[in-house]
Amino acid sequence: MTVQALAGPAPLTRRVGPAVLLSGAFLVLLLVAAAVPGLLAGDDPTATDPLATFLPPDGAHLFGTDQLGRDVFTRVVHGARHSLAIGAAATVGGLFIAVVWGLLAALSGRFGDAVLMRVADALLALPGLLLALLVVLITGKGVVGATLAVAVGIAPGFARVVRAQALVVRRSGYVEAAIGLGVRRPLVVLRHVLPNTFGPLLVLATVTLGVSISTGAALSYLGLGAQPPTPEWGAMLTESQGFLHLAWWAALFPGLMLVLTVIAVTVVGRHAQNRSEGRYAS
């Protein structure tokens, strides 16, 4: 028997493929558009021009103009900030809720764990968008309400990951040794349990970011998120849907940017997840 056979199957070796590279480059460009939109499109995204309505894409207007004469390219570029901000803020908010939820479930005893996880199961049984709509009905429409709704929608899944990881860490030898030495339980949680739950959680958050962005845009499309004339991709789709026969480009480009963003985030997130699970050789 060879040494390689004794060592077991070798990890899958794979270089960073073109899909990951293209997705990463697209996300970098998107972050530039979100951070410094004037670098790519210096015009006012809300400026109207009644004499330039429904102009098709050309050299002066790369993505054409909409029903109010606003430059669609400028609005798409500036819309990156709003769409990404809703998705990112909702993901961070969902992580915060999940950490508190999951740690309480893992450390509160059998009864508390059962109650908290049954609540998570009940929320996970609802479609994510339906749950977000229910939250918006309570909080009210707008960017803040949409962000909170998306955060609540993704928190139960994150909470289960935090709980599972916390249970593993809680039974580890160094945690038991710390408790045996008299270290207070809150300090043990902060020093040992909490840091060891972040690794898998952050990778999962990267994958879930695409879902948060698309759900936030869906709420804006339904009129429950960002409100016109805010240049947000979902809101732009709502404004342009009544003029598809006159200006298809006004809906095509924000919709295309939304789809490409979700795909790029998912590709990069899946790659990070595979590497963290040891499926790719470093």
Side-chain angles (χ1 to χ4, degrees):
M1 185 176 294
T2 64
V3 175
Q4 183 178 2
L6 290 172
L12 177 62
T13 301
R14 178 178 174 181
R15 296 180 180 275
V16 178
V20 179
L21 290 176
L22 288 175
S23 298
F26 178 77
L27 290 180
V28 170
L29 182 62
L30 205 62
L31 290 175
V32 172
V36 195
L39 192 64
L40 302 177
D43 297 333
D44 183 0
T46 61
T48 61
D49 185 358
L51 300 179
T53 58
F54 297 133
L55 294 180
D58 56 19
H61 303 282
L62 294 179
F63 291 174
T65 62
D66 62 9
Q67 72 278 8
L68 298 177
R70 298 173 297 192
D71 185 72
V72 176
F73 175 77
T74 300
R75 288 178 62 77
V76 166
V77 170
H78 285 260
R81 169 179 294 180
H82 299 281
S83 297
L84 292 183
I86 293 175
T91 303
V92 172
L95 286 175
F96 177 79
I97 296 171
V99 167
V100 176
W101 192 343
L103 288 178
L104 285 176
L107 304 174
S108 62
R110 183 173 299 178
F111 178 76
D113 182 25
V115 171
L116 290 172
M117 285 301 99
R118 295 299 77 76
V119 173
D121 292 339
L123 295 178
L124 286 171
L126 297 173
L129 183 58
L130 177 59
L131 179 57
L133 289 173
L134 293 176
V135 175
V136 169
L137 289 177
I138 299 173
T139 61
K141 64 181 181 180
V143 173
V144 176
T147 302
L148 182 59
V150 178
V152 172
I154 64 177
F158 285 160
R160 295 198 67 88
V161 175
V162 173
R163 170 188 174 273
Q165 193 69 14
L167 287 174
V168 173
V169 175
R170 189 185 67 175
R171 299 188 181 100
S172 61
Y174 59 89
V175 170
E176 293 180 354
I179 295 175
L181 291 173
V183 180
R184 291 181 299 175
R185 184 175 294 270
L187 197 58
V188 172
V189 173
L190 291 177
R191 282 186 178 179
H192 301 294
V193 179
L194 184 58
N196 285 284
T197 63
F198 269 117
L201 195 62
L202 291 179
V203 174
L204 181 61
T206 305
V207 179
T208 310
L209 178 59
V211 177
S212 300
I213 294 173
S214 61
T215 305
L219 292 175
S220 295
Y221 175 78
L222 295 174
L224 302 175
Q227 301 297 308
T230 302
E232 195 274 339
W233 295 336
M236 291 175 66
L237 289 174
T238 299
E239 290 185 272
S240 59
Q241 67 179 353
F243 307 97
L244 290 177
H245 61 294
L246 296 174
W248 50 266
W249 51 85
L252 172 65
F253 291 110
L256 184 61
M257 287 298 296
L258 178 60
V259 171
L260 291 177
T261 299
V262 173
I263 291 175
V265 170
T266 302
V267 169
V268 173
R270 291 295 182 188
H271 180 75
Q273 185 179 36
N274 289 333
R275 289 192 67 88
S276 70
E277 294 174 355
R279 299 182 187 178
Y280 297 158
S282 57

